Amino acid sequence: MISWFHAQSLRHTGHTASHPPGAMVHAFLIHTLRAPHAEDSGLCRVLYSCVFGAESSPDDPRPHGAERDRLLRKEQILAVARQAETMCRLQQQASGRPAADLQPQPSDEPVPLHEAPRGAFRLAAGDPFREPRTAVWLGVLSFGFALVLDAHENLLLAENTLRLLARLLLDHLRLLTPGTNLLLRADRIEGILTRFLPHGQLLFLNDQFVQSLEKEFSAALPR
Amino acid sequence: MAAAGTERLLRQAREVRDEELGQFCARASALLRTEEPGPEAVDALRRLFLIVAATKYGRKLEDECVDLLQTALGPPPRPEPLQLLCAAILRETAPRPGLSLSCDCVQSPRQLSLVASVLLAQGDRRQVRSVGQRVFQVLESRQPEGPSARPLLPVVSKVASLAPGSFREDQANLLSKRLADWLRYASVPQGPAPSGGFFTPRARQPGPVTEVDGAVATDFFTVLSTAQRATEDQWLNVQAFSMLRAWLQLGGPGAPDTDDRSEQEGSSLSVLSAAASTGRLLPPERLREKAFQYCQRLVEQSTRRALRRADADLQKACLVEAVLVLDVLCRQDPSFLYRTLSCLKALQARLNGDPACVRVLLPLAQFFLGHGEAAAVDAEAVCRQVFGRVPAEHFHSPMLAFEFVQFCRDSLPLLGRHLGLLRRSFPGLLQLLAWNSPALTAEFVALLPALVDASTAVELLHALLDLPCLTAALDLQLRLSPAASERPLWDASLRTASCPDASQDPQLQGRLQHLLRTEASGAPERLAPLYPLLQPMAGCARVLQCAEAVPTLLRAFFSAVTQFADGALTNQLARLLLERSDSLYPVPGYEARVHQVLSAQFLGLCQQRPCLVVELAKELLALVGSGGGLRSGGSVLTSAVWAVGEYLAVSWDRRCTADQINKFFEVLEALLFEVTQSRPSATLPQCPPQLVTALMTTLTKLASRSQDLIPRVSLFLSKMRTPAQSAAGGALCCREDEGVGTRATELLNLLKMPSVAQFVLTPGLEVAAPRYHRDTNTALPLALRAVSRLVEREAGLLPAEGRPPG
């Protein structure tokens, strides 16, 4: 369960300025969450992922097969999803959440996203990405949402953005309505990301801006 | 079930065979070729996306289909869902060699942004650069009345972060100039025109710009200004601030550009600069100046009470960003430092008592730490504030905990003389760890070497061993906390009624306070009396998780501490280790896991400092005499016994006497007798064979050093040799008996030749000398071969070899 503890690089990081000062989102993903106390209910699945610009590897002289690059990218995302899923499960166990919490509530009440399990963890350089990064995650019912950030991104903004994205996805994809399937809604997810996280740029959007972007989205991709 | 449906759909997508995929592509291609692709085409593309995305292995799409997907991204514009899907499919299949897609002819910013998303996904630096160049061409040639440049700015950010240095200096200057304008001069319509005006308000006249608290804005527009219907330049203001920090760092306003052609070009091309051009400052300088004003305004705006929760959250994120931007500005141009300091000092004073803004304190502290002497006084103050109070008050916020530990790690090179402050506040930091162990263990493993020094080592080791107990105490504290509204989530399955009450007993209260201290006390107290009180929490998932992390942390602790520990400290730690091995918070499985680490570390310490065995003789005798730790697998006891055998010798420590050897011999002999000869009972659990063999070996070693003891140990060993007898003792099971029997035989044979036994069992220090490995006559391998032949031959003569397996 804690095998990645050992894989972590023990190298100290320098100050902000000594890093390549990236300040963007590297990837966004949605994955499944299993019930916190059920051990045998399948594997963690990545339901959707979007990588904003490929991580280039200028130091690596080996010829890169396109196939291998893609495989690596998919494995990286899966590694993040698994860790996020484990973190979420551990947090839910620790807070003694009943497994029933994972089922959609029958009522139309909005999911209280401010109380949803959430957290962040560090991805050391080389594991799984070349650069050190931070993952921020949010667990909503049976869905996990996660952002992979450059190491010194504004975490508070990332957290707000992730919550906003989760809310938009829940609302506009009707994720909680039985029978809807996120897997066949890629255009809507893309439509939301293009507006609220364009090319992985976190945006300082106040409520008014969010509302007008939402209107714009609804007009461009009517249900 | 939704989950089952998802699983089925994913499996179907993965199981699509190549020829089926071919048919699928053909269908999608046919739909894409139609004049106006409709919902059917969107549906086909959604499925195609799923098929490509659902597997990590490459999917071969027909060339024709890929061509059509690329064509769909270009002009003429098609329905957005269709284009989004085409881009998504192309991104999913990236990198794809031989992609013909190019952004050279794309004019529309929205389409260019989509095409760029595909090209940037290819992982080719040259392509990244060419995207950057094209985006700049479009930005430069854009007409004021043309479509918005909004979709292009994030592309610029991404290009700058993927391939720094992609832009020419004149381009960078142009963008810096524009950014400065967008930041500072976005329009602030002052509400409806007063009556009697000449103009009838235009149909799309925006409403008044207000602050987050609803007041009408009186100063320039920022991301914290709200407008009913935002104008284009207000959108650009948002974009500009969002990308500002990255641009300042990466887009590299480089060396001052003396060629004012770019300045002219910039102003002639700038859509919005008419009101703005000051002309005197160079673009990067001007951008920094405007950025400074913007940040100042944000700091001022953050005092307002937001009407909406989302805006209150945004205010905090803006404060963090403002501090980070100011940090960059001061680094790039120290002349900002004094202005910034006064602004941030006021901010710090304001945030001091505000628990909602606690996360802003971290970048603030980092700022003060990063700016050396100029900010030294403030650094001291803010560090005290941050290290002293924050962890204990906010340990239950997972994000804050992560950010705090990251702050500590990042600040290490900057802390300098404040490092002591960090070290002394380790008890507070451990509260973060105790509550959030899964996410923070790796962070702490990295942080520990900085936290531990000679003054904190002992207290820190106690604290690490008591970490699960701390988790339980924090849990108790939260349950009993009166501030119910601030309560985080916890295990509600545990009834508050069963929660113990420490308030009755002042002594327990004191210990609880000690456990929950935020600063190192210098004198760790024994917490064992608290264990019964906190027993009800020992089974909580959070406590169990924390207990799982402790072995990893202990290993990290010892690997750090052994780098610098002197004799006295090593002695102290070894003593502590023995003492604490039977005084741990009773979490299921915890003791055994910790013992494994402690036993290995104890041996490590002894190896480093062999005279520990003599110095700790009293403690070791007591441990062996009591058979302590046998209940939890006996690993500490086994190490202690082994260490006695290894290092209780005059060659290691001149203070070692024959009397001492005899005393140890007696106690060890008694223990061996007890664990092998007595019947299994409830009071003495099954003895691990490792302990039995360690005891036999150690007794033999001691006998080889004090040869009067040889007859006694030989007698004992000959009894141990025949497994039937020890099996009658019942404490060992059969297969392991054989190992014990073989070892007994070997030792017995060795003891027949006391001088050989001494050579083998107590090799002198000179064994390490090169001579022993080079000289043929004294060579160690030769000696070892002789001995093993001796031992084996004797063993081979034994009837036991031929006995049927039992």
Side-chain angles (χ1 to χ4, degrees):
Chain A
M1 183 181 72
I2 52 172
S3 64
W4 71 85
F5 290 156
H6 308 291
Q8 295 282 359
S9 148
L10 305 188
R11 182 171 68 89
H12 284 172
T13 57
H15 181 239
T16 322
S18 65
H19 270 296
M24 295 199 83
V25 175
H26 177 68
F28 168 73
L29 55 146
I30 308 174
H31 57 87
T32 56
L33 287 181
R34 290 170 289 167
H37 297 284
E39 294 297 333
D40 54 342
S41 58
L43 300 164
C44 168
R45 301 279 188 206
V46 176
L47 298 177
Y48 171 85
S49 69
C50 178
V51 178
F52 301 101
E55 195 178 41
S56 54
S57 40
D59 308 331
D60 191 351
R62 286 174 300 173
H64 276 229
E67 188 86 334
R68 225 186 73 194
D69 277 353
R70 182 173 183 278
L71 183 64
L72 175 67
R73 200 177 64 217
K74 290 295 232 184
E75 293 280 14
Q76 287 170 333
I77 293 296
L78 185 59
V80 175
R82 284 196 187 125
Q83 271 196 49
E85 206 250 358
T86 307
M87 290 293 178
C88 187
R89 196 146 38 93
L90 290 173
Q91 200 182 98
Q92 284 184 313
Q93 278 171 7
S95 56
R97 290 265 186 115
D101 264 21
L102 286 184
Q103 300 309 321
Q105 293 123 331
S107 68
D108 280 344
E109 276 176 39
V111 186
L113 288 180
H114 269 92
E115 275 111 65
R118 65 193 189 284
F121 55 91
R122 186 187 173 81
L123 301 163
D127 180 28
F129 300 102
R130 209 162 53 85
E131 305 287 343
R133 294 188 200 279
T134 304
V136 184
W137 58 267
L138 179 75
V140 187
L141 305 170
S142 58
F143 297 103
F145 301 90
L147 291 174
V148 179
L149 311 170
D150 287 329
H152 288 91
E153 185 50 284
N154 182 334
L155 214 55
L156 205 49
L157 178 63
E159 196 188 335
N160 291 349
T161 306
L162 186 59
R163 205 163 36 223
L164 170 66
L165 289 175
R167 202 266 293 159
L168 291 166
L169 289 164
L170 292 177
D171 285 1
H172 292 273
L173 275 77
R174 299 194 191 165
L175 289 186
L176 304 184
T177 317
T180 40
N181 210 314
L182 181 148
L183 292 171
L184 290 173
R185 299 293 192 83
D187 49 331
R188 302 190 77 81
I189 306 175
E190 296 276 335
I192 288 171
L193 290 182
T194 314
R195 288 173 176 78
F196 293 90
L197 189 63
H199 293 271
Q201 173 78 64
L202 292 174
L203 295 174
F204 289 84
L205 297 172
N206 64 41
D207 205 49
Q208 285 286 355
F209 281 91
V210 171
Q211 282 181 26
S212 37
L213 277 182
E214 239 183 305
K215 272 184 211 143
E216 188 195 306
F217 168 76
S218 299
L221 288 94
R223 279 190 184 147
Chain B
M1 282 295 293
T6 301
E7 195 70 20
R8 198 178 54 239
L9 208 54
L10 274 174
R11 208 180 43 244
Q12 282 173 359
R14 285 177 184 178
E15 285 168 359
V16 167
R17 281 166 310 178
D18 283 350
E19 57 266 31
E20 287 172 301
L21 181 59
Q23 289 163 10
F24 216 92
C25 283
R27 195 174 111 77
S29 305
L31 288 165
L32 278 173
R33 250 186 256 110
T34 53
E35 198 67 19
E36 279 185 10
E40 242 183 301
V42 170
D43 188 61
L45 290 176
R46 282 171 172 173
R47 285 168 200 281
L48 191 55
F49 174 80
L50 177 61
I51 294 170
V52 175
T55 167
K56 61 184 177 183
Y57 302 109
R59 282 292 203 176
K60 179 90 185 79
L61 296 187
E62 305 280 321
D63 287 343
E64 192 206 1
C65 182
V66 174
D67 288 343
L68 283 164
L69 290 172
Q70 297 179 68
T71 320
L73 293 180
R78 325 229 166 166
E80 187 177 332
L82 192 87
Q83 287 196 320
L84 287 172
L85 284 165
C86 289
I89 294 167
L90 290 171
R91 269 204 318 269
E92 266 300 323
T93 51
R96 186 185 168 96
L99 207 64
S100 64
L101 190 66
S102 152
C103 48
D104 289 344
C105 315
V106 190
Q107 197 67 41
S108 138
R110 200 181 64 76
Q111 282 180 6
L112 181 51
S113 163
L114 265 182
V115 171
S117 78
V118 177
L119 294 177
L120 295 181
Q122 306 298 319
D124 177 357
R125 269 186 177 231
R126 275 171 316 176
Q127 211 148 28
V128 172
R129 289 215 177 83
S130 70
V131 169
Q133 290 304 321
R134 176 66 193 153
V135 167
F136 256 96
Q137 275 174 11
V138 174
L139 276 176
E140 281 169 358
S141 63
R142 208 171 57 83
Q143 298 307 308
E145 297 304 318
S148 162
R150 247 204 290 160
L152 295 183
L153 291 178
V155 184
V156 173
S157 284
K158 196 76 212 179
V159 167
S161 85
L162 288 175
S166 293
F167 302 118
R168 291 195 313 272
E169 194 164 325
D170 59 316
Q171 293 176 324
N173 280 341
L174 169 63
L175 188 65
S176 292
K177 193 172 176 341
R178 292 249 185 116
L179 287 174
D181 293 338
W182 290 327
L183 282 176
R184 186 58 181 78
Y185 303 103
S187 48
V188 192
Q190 290 297 312
S195 55
F198 282 109
F199 307 103
T200 41
R202 274 188 292 171
R204 299 196 52 173
Q205 172 74 45
V209 169
T210 59
E211 302 283 356
V212 284
D213 60 356
V216 173
T218 52
D219 205 341
F220 64 91
F221 188 91
T222 72
V223 291
L224 288 178
S225 309
T226 66
Q228 281 272 309
R229 191 182 286 127
T231 60
E232 197 49 42
D233 57 350
Q234 288 165 351
W235 276 109
L236 288 166
N237 180 284
V238 171
Q239 292 270 11
F241 181 63
S242 302
M243 68 182 288
L244 176 63
R245 182 160 56 99
W247 179 254
L248 284 171
Q249 288 177 295
L250 287 165
D257 184 7
T258 45
D259 181 6
D260 36 349
R261 189 180 51 85
S262 61
E263 173 75 2
Q264 285 166 3
E265 193 177 58
S267 52
S268 70
L269 290 166
S270 172
V271 199
L272 304 154
S273 63
S277 66
T278 57
R280 284 208 305 276
L281 291 171
L282 294 168
E285 290 170 350
R286 186 164 163 272
L287 175 60
R288 284 196 283 263
E289 184 57 40
K290 300 301 172 201
F292 180 79
Q293 293 168 9
Y294 199 94
C295 290
Q296 267 192 319
R297 170 130 166 83
L298 285 182
V299 169
E300 175 200 304
Q301 282 177 303
S302 68
T303 55
R304 295 179 179 269
R305 208 182 155 74
L307 297 177
R308 297 183 182 83
R309 179 167 193 171
D311 288 347
D313 290 343
L314 182 69
Q315 275 179 310
K316 286 165 216 151
C318 284
L319 269 182
V320 169
E321 189 73 8
V323 176
L324 294 175
V325 168
L326 289 171
D327 189 39
V328 175
L329 294 179
C330 292
R331 252 167 236 291
Q332 293 184 342
D333 182 354
S335 70
F336 282 106
L337 191 54
Y338 288 92
R339 284 193 281 167
T340 304
L341 273 177
S342 66
C343 168
L344 293 189
K345 269 186 216 178
L347 179 63
Q348 188 211 334
R350 202 183 85 212
L351 298 183
N352 205 346
D354 187 355
C357 287
V358 65
R359 285 171 69 181
V360 186
L361 284 178
L362 299 179
L364 257 183
Q366 189 121 29
F367 179 93
F368 289 130
L369 284 171
H371 291 279
E373 282 310 305
V377 180
D378 309 283
E380 171 88 24
V382 79
C383 280
R384 270 183 200 292
Q385 190 181 347
V386 166
F387 292 139
R389 233 191 43 208
V390 173
E393 287 171 14
H394 301 274
F395 63 87
H396 46 72
S397 155
M399 296 300 272
L400 177 101
F402 174 79
E403 223 169 1
F404 197 96
V405 178
Q406 179 149 307
F407 160 75
C408 293
R409 278 184 71 174
D410 289 348
S411 308
L412 284 179
L414 304 172
L415 276 168
R417 62 196 163 91
H418 307 299
L419 190 60
L421 215 55
L422 173 70
R423 285 201 180 119
R424 276 199 304 284
S425 53
F426 79 80
L429 296 180
L430 290 186
Q431 296 191 7
L432 301 175
L433 174 62
W435 196 259
N436 306 284
S437 58
L440 294 187
T441 304
E443 301 300 300
F444 264 85
V445 165
L447 193 58
L448 266 175
L451 289 181
V452 54
D453 71 353
S455 66
T456 55
V458 170
E459 194 177 347
L460 184 55
L461 180 54
H462 272 295
L464 286 176
L465 289 167
D466 281 322
L467 204 61
C469 185
L470 176 59
T471 312
L474 291 171
D475 192 303
L476 179 70
Q477 187 194 29
L478 279 179
R479 278 168 211 273
L480 302 177
S481 147
S485 62
E486 281 294 307
R487 282 179 183 182
L489 297 162
W490 69 62
D491 195 344
S493 60
L494 199 67
R495 296 229 167 267
T496 321
S498 72
C499 284
D501 189 4
S503 57
Q504 306 300 321
D505 184 341
Q507 209 194 350
L508 286 185
Q509 189 68 33
R511 287 189 206 269
L512 204 55
Q513 294 296 324
H514 178 76
L515 179 59
L516 295 171
R517 70 198 182 280
T518 56
E519 240 189 77
S521 68
E525 280 180 38
R526 289 186 57 81
L527 296 172
L530 277 180
Y531 299 158
L533 177 81
L534 296 170
Q535 182 59 44
M537 274 88 167
C540 286
R542 198 181 293 279
V543 176
L544 291 172
Q545 285 171 12
C546 178
E548 294 216 6
V550 172
T552 310
L553 294 159
L554 286 175
R555 274 185 218 106
F557 170 83
F558 279 104
S559 86
V561 83
T562 44
Q563 303 293 317
F564 66 83
D566 60 1
L569 181 58
T570 309
N571 184 314
Q572 247 182 316
L573 291 174
R575 200 182 293 269
L576 190 161
L577 210 148
L578 294 177
E579 175 197 314
R580 287 301 307 263
S581 68
D582 69 342
S583 169
L584 292 169
Y585 181 50
V587 179
Y590 181 56
E591 199 177 38
R593 278 197 302 269
V594 168
H595 277 189
Q596 285 207 325
V597 182
L598 292 189
S599 56
Q601 297 302 334
F602 182 72
L603 278 182
L605 292 178
C606 289
Q607 198 172 11
Q608 230 184 8
R609 197 174 145 74
C611 56
L612 276 180
V613 175
V614 172
E615 286 169 4
L616 299 181
K618 214 176 100 202
E619 286 81 0
L620 286 169
L621 280 169
L623 178 75
V624 176
S626 68
L630 207 51
R631 207 171 300 282
S632 59
S635 52
V636 171
L637 188 57
T638 308
S639 299
V641 168
W642 185 261
V644 169
E646 266 316 80
Y647 301 112
L648 190 69
V650 194
S651 55
W652 288 113
D653 191 337
R654 289 181 176 285
R655 290 171 292 178
C656 172
T657 60
D659 191 35
Q660 212 161 25
I661 292 182
N662 285 334
K663 211 183 276 170
F664 266 104
F665 187 88
E666 270 165 30
V667 178
L668 291 166
E669 191 187 32
L671 179 61
L672 182 58
F673 182 82
E674 200 175 351
V675 296
T676 55
Q677 307 295 317
S678 62
R679 309 222 157 255
S681 67
T683 51
L684 203 67
Q686 193 182 15
C687 174
Q690 291 89 334
L691 178 58
V692 177
T693 49
L695 278 166
M696 292 188 313
T697 312
T698 296
L699 285 171
T700 311
K701 285 174 179 172
L702 295 184
S704 76
R705 285 164 213 165
S706 179
Q707 301 191 349
D708 305 345
L709 299 170
I710 290 184
R712 267 166 80 178
V713 76
S714 295
L715 185 67
F716 211 119
L717 288 173
S718 56
K719 275 197 230 161
M720 295 293 299
R721 195 171 50 173
T722 38
Q725 281 192 7
S726 62
L732 296 168
C733 69
C734 303
R735 207 164 49 79
E736 286 159 345
D737 281 352
E738 277 183 50
V740 171
T742 314
R743 174 63 64 90
T745 310
E746 286 167 358
L747 294 171
L748 204 56
N749 290 338
L750 269 179
L751 282 178
K752 283 181 186 156
M753 279 156 289
S755 58
V756 174
Q758 190 160 20
F759 172 71
V760 174
L761 297 173
T762 318
L765 285 173
E766 65 275 12
V767 169
R771 191 171 65 85
Y772 264 85
H773 303 266
R774 276 196 230 113
D775 192 328
T776 0
N777 292 322
T778 58
L780 202 58
L782 184 74
L784 287 178
R785 260 201 305 279
V787 171
S788 63
R789 218 176 306 142
L790 182 78
V791 170
E792 276 162 21
R793 196 187 60 213
E794 292 278 339
L797 291 174
L798 278 173
E801 269 320 274
R803 91 194 138 81

